[in-house]
Amino acid sequence: MEKQDQLLMKKQNKNLVLDIIKHKSPISRMEIAKLTGMSPTSITRMVNELHAQGFVRETELVTSGVGRKAALLDVCSDVLYTVGVEIDTFVIKIGIVDYVGEIVAWQSIQRNVAEDYEETLQKVSQVIGRLIAEQQIPDGKVIGIGVGIPGSIDYMNGLVKVSDQLKWNNVHLAEDLQQLTGLAVIIDNELKMKIVAESFTGMAKDSQNAVLVGIGSGIGAAIMLNGDIYRGDSNNAGEIGHTVIDPTGNVCNCGKIGCLATYISERAILADSRKVKNVNSIGDVFAAYRSKESWAINIMDRTTTYIALALSNILCLYNPEVLILSGDTIESLPELKETIEQKCDLYIWEPLKDQLKIVYSQLSNHGVVLGAAIQVQNSLLDLE
Ligand SMILES: [Zn+2]
C-alpha cells in the first residue's frame, strides 16, 4: 500500500472510531473493537490519540465479564464549537453549537426588510462575536460558521446566486462574512441545512431516505438519498415552488405562469385574501380561518389541496421512507395537518404508502441554525 493511502486509511479509521464514541457513548474500547473489526491494540492507540487531542474522555468504570473494571469512553462536548446562522426576510437567528450538537448560546434578531447586504452582515458578525465572548470560548475553539439562506446557493463557491426573500443576487456571502469574522464560512440553502439537523437528531435520525418540505414564505424541499443530500447539478434540486401546476394560473414573481408557490406561499395567500377582506398579515388570514369565515376556509382549502398534490408528486419522484413537513404555515396553523393528511391519502399512489411515514419537524425554529452548525463540523473538521 502506498504511504498516502495508509495515511488516508489511518485517518478514516480514526474518524470512524470517534464517530462511534460520539453516537454510542458511553462505550468501552472492547465494544468499539467488536463493532469495527479492528484489533484492540489499534483501538487503544487511536483512543489515546483522540484523548490527547481533547476529543475523548473516560467516564466511568464498569465491571466487565472477567471481573476487571473497564473504562467507558465519551466525547468531550467542549472540544470545539461551530456557529449556525439562519438569515430570513424578517429575522436572523444565530446559535453557538458544541461538539455533540447542543446549542449553548442563542440570539434571534429582527431584520429590517429594507436593510442592505452589508448591514445584515455587520449585524451577524457583531452578534457572533458577542456570543463567543459571553460564553468565554477560548480562541481557536470555534472552527467555523455555517449559514442557511433561502434561495439558489452555489455552496461550493460560497455564492448566493438568487434569494428572492432577501433580495440578494450574486453576493459572495462566505468570503465577505469570513473577512468580517476571521472564521471559515460555509453556506447553503436553508432547507438543505435543516435536513442535516433532521438527520442528526430529528425525524430523519434513523433514515437514509428522507424528504423535508418547508411551507411558509415559499415552498421548497430538501432531499436526502442514501444518507446524502441530493443536490442536482447546480444545487437546486428540491426547489419545487417553481414547478408549474396550472399553465393558465397565477403569474409568479419568477415570470412564469402557474407555479406551485403562487398557490401556497404566504404572499400568495395574502394577495388572494385581500381580494375579499382588508387583512394586514398572514396571521389575520389564519385567525379568519379559525373563526370559520368562508373565504378563508376556501383559500386555505385550495392551499392544502395544492400542498397534498405537491407532496404526492415528490413521493413519486423520490420514494422516501420519511416525509417531514415543516415551516411557518404548518406551525402557525396546526389544524391544517389533519386536512393535509386526509388529502394526501387521496392523492398518494398506493404502492408508495406502505412504508411511508408523514411526520412533522420537532426542531421548530432551531432547525436551520443547528443543521448549519453541524454541517460545519461535517465539512471543516479535519482530524490529524
Ligand atoms: Zn415561479
Side-chain angles (χ1 to χ4, degrees), residues 331-343:
E331 271 158 34
S332 315
L333 206 56
E335 299 96 310
L336 293 183
K337 290 178 183 173
E338 204 186 325
T339 320
I340 292 172
E341 283 168 29
Q342 281 166 357
K343 290 182 179 177

Side-chain angles (χ1 to χ4, degrees), residues 241-244 251-262:
H242 298 288
T243 50
V244 174
V251 179
C252 182
N253 57 11
C254 74
K256 296 194 299 169
I257 309 287
C259 289
L260 179 64
T262 68

Side-chain angles (χ1 to χ4, degrees), residues 78-107:
D78 63 350
V79 62
L80 58 86
Y81 296 85
T82 57
V83 183
V85 180
E86 176 182 9
I87 306 177
D88 209 343
T89 319
F90 301 108
V91 66
I92 300 168
K93 297 170 198 162
I94 298 171
I96 312 275
V97 173
D98 69 13
Y99 181 55
V100 294
E102 293 290 329
I103 297 174
V104 297
W106 176 267
Q107 170 98 54

